[in-house]
Amino acid sequence: MIEEIQAKVLLSHVKQPDTWFGLKYNMNLYRGCQHQCIYCDSRSECYRIENFDTEVLVKANAIELLEKELASKRVKGTIGTGSMNDPYMPLEEEVNLTGRALKVIARFGFPVHIMTKSDLVLRDLDTLCEINTRFAAVSFTVTTADDELAKKLEPGASLVSDRFRAMKTLSDHGIQTGVTMMPILPFIEDDEENIRQIVEKAHAHGPAYIIPWFGMSLRDRQRAYYYDKLDKLFPGLRQKYERMFGNQYHCAVPNADRLSRMFNELCDRYGIATRMKRYEPETGIQMRLF
Ligand code: SF4
């Protein structure tokens, strides 16, 4: 079900410093996500998104709010989107909320970081190039190099191969792009071959960075949903998780150290950074010097 709602505010402040993406503000244009990744943390009770799997709420007044809020911001900090829902879920093709929001951001001259699992981001290539005169970065989340496995784990998202192709186009246009390789699911995606293939496929598509996390998070109703999916997709695996992780929230893959070493060696070999270059605002001193 898709429903329109009126939001009270759009931009939230991100706790500083944000060492991953350098965000100052975060923006959610939707509530709920059509990509339906089986491991999605947004199902957790703390976020209070009821009906995450059956309903998407569209913030119908988002553009109006964004204009008003950006007009009153003195600091041109990076605006992030894509952590609680995918800004390019299939619905976006018709609603164009992200596309319109980016145009507003371009007009106000703010930097942006987008996280997505969709090649629909290419629709907004021109706007992203305009934003990139200050700063634009796009991270594609990739947890497996295998399209068939991804269809099971992330059933509503673009094929991984399409995400990589979109990455190449953005990179060819000078936009900083890379991979958020997270989560890596224990006993499903934590084999050396998967990590090697992600790095090698990424390497062929111009990434500046790959940010890894060798594990996943599990809690309350999100864990229950994930375990239910494991029972259907990978019979017997739930019991292995229960034995290994109990009620743990952070669940590292058992071979995290070995995978991490291999990953770092590969990234060194291909000249891929393991952190994103973040937007640095011009300081008063720099402004005076130049
Ligand atoms: S794309 Fe992101 S927000 Fe959407 S279901 Fe997948 S993990 Fe959750």
Side-chain angles (χ1 to χ4, degrees):
M1 192 171 70
I2 294 161
E3 214 179 283
E4 290 194 348
I5 55 163
Q6 298 289 313
K8 290 201 178 80
V9 282
L10 190 69
L11 295 174
S12 59
H13 283 266
V14 174
K15 202 169 150 216
Q16 298 299 305
D18 172 28
T19 52
W20 283 24
F21 307 115
L23 303 184
K24 174 92 176 138
Y25 311 107
N26 192 50
M27 170 177 84
N28 284 308
L29 300 163
Y30 300 98
R31 270 172 82 81
C33 185
Q34 293 175 304
H35 284 175
Q36 297 287 295
C37 306
I38 67 167
Y39 50 76
C40 182
D41 181 60
S42 299
R43 287 188 188 90
S44 304
E45 281 163 20
C46 59
Y47 301 122
R48 299 198 187 126
I49 306 178
E50 306 309 324
N51 310 321
F52 183 83
D53 296 294
T54 51
E55 185 178 75
V56 177
L57 304 179
V58 179
K59 296 184 182 172
N61 60 338
I63 303 305
E64 213 178 294
L65 282 177
L66 185 62
E67 298 224 7
K68 205 169 101 198
E69 291 174 27
L70 287 185
S72 67
K73 298 275 184 241
R74 296 173 62 112
V75 181
K76 295 237 190 274
T78 305
I79 301 170
T81 190
S83 55
M84 293 291 296
N85 53 70
D86 198 304
Y88 289 101
M89 64 179 92
L91 175 65
E92 166 64 18
E93 190 157 12
E94 181 194 324
V95 180
N96 194 26
L97 213 46
T98 304
R100 286 184 285 147
L102 289 179
K103 283 199 162 59
V104 174
I105 290 169
R107 182 149 47 80
F108 279 89
F110 276 70
V112 87
H113 171 255
I114 294 170
M115 190 153 58
T116 185
K117 288 189 179 101
S118 172
D119 60 353
L120 182 59
V121 63
L122 291 183
R123 181 200 61 190
D124 296 331
L125 181 59
D126 290 348
T127 316
L128 285 168
C129 287
E130 196 183 332
I131 296 172
N132 198 35
T133 53
R134 187 176 288 269
F135 178 91
V138 178
S139 300
F140 290 89
T141 301
V142 175
T143 70
T144 170
D146 178 353
D147 275 336
E148 292 311 309
L149 179 58
K151 277 189 216 165
K152 291 183 186 168
L153 305 174
E154 303 153 353
S158 292
L159 291 178
V160 178
S161 44
D162 290 338
R163 292 176 224 172
F164 279 132
R165 274 193 284 275
M167 184 188 295
K168 177 84 172 78
T169 304
L170 292 169
S171 169
D172 288 347
H173 283 78
I175 292 168
Q176 188 188 193
T177 181
V179 173
T180 34
M181 194 178 76
M182 55 184 79
I184 292 296
L185 305 179
F187 313 118
I188 299 173
E189 299 178 318
D190 57 348
D191 56 291
E192 289 192 5
E193 191 48 30
N194 182 43
I195 304 304
R196 182 185 311 283
Q197 281 200 25
I198 292 176
V199 177
E200 288 181 349
K201 286 188 182 177
H203 171 59
H205 294 84
Y209 57 90
I210 304 177
I211 307 173
W213 178 33
F214 296 100
M216 70 180 305
S217 56
L218 285 172
R219 57 184 164 185
D220 49 68
R221 65 185 177 197
Q222 173 248 2
R223 179 195 283 120
Y225 183 91
Y226 181 67
Y227 281 1
D228 187 51
K229 289 291 175 187
L230 286 189
D231 287 343
K232 294 187 177 97
L233 297 167
F234 308 96
L237 207 49
R238 166 211 281 258
Q239 292 74 8
K240 208 166 166 180
Y241 269 72
E242 285 171 340
R243 279 196 303 276
M244 172 74 81
F245 302 118
N247 281 328
Q248 266 174 243
Y249 173 50
H250 289 290
C251 306
V253 299
N255 52 350
D257 289 347
R258 186 159 46 83
L259 287 183
S260 178
R261 272 197 303 279
M262 193 201 82
F263 167 79
N264 285 321
E265 277 167 24
L266 280 172
C267 287
D268 278 354
R269 187 186 309 161
Y270 293 128
I272 302 172
T274 54
R275 293 172 68 98
M276 199 186 100
K277 192 163 158 254
R278 299 183 292 272
Y279 171 68
E280 298 289 348
E282 286 172 345
T283 63
I285 293 169
Q286 282 170 327
M287 301 275 280
R288 280 200 299 278
L289 280 174
F290 297 103

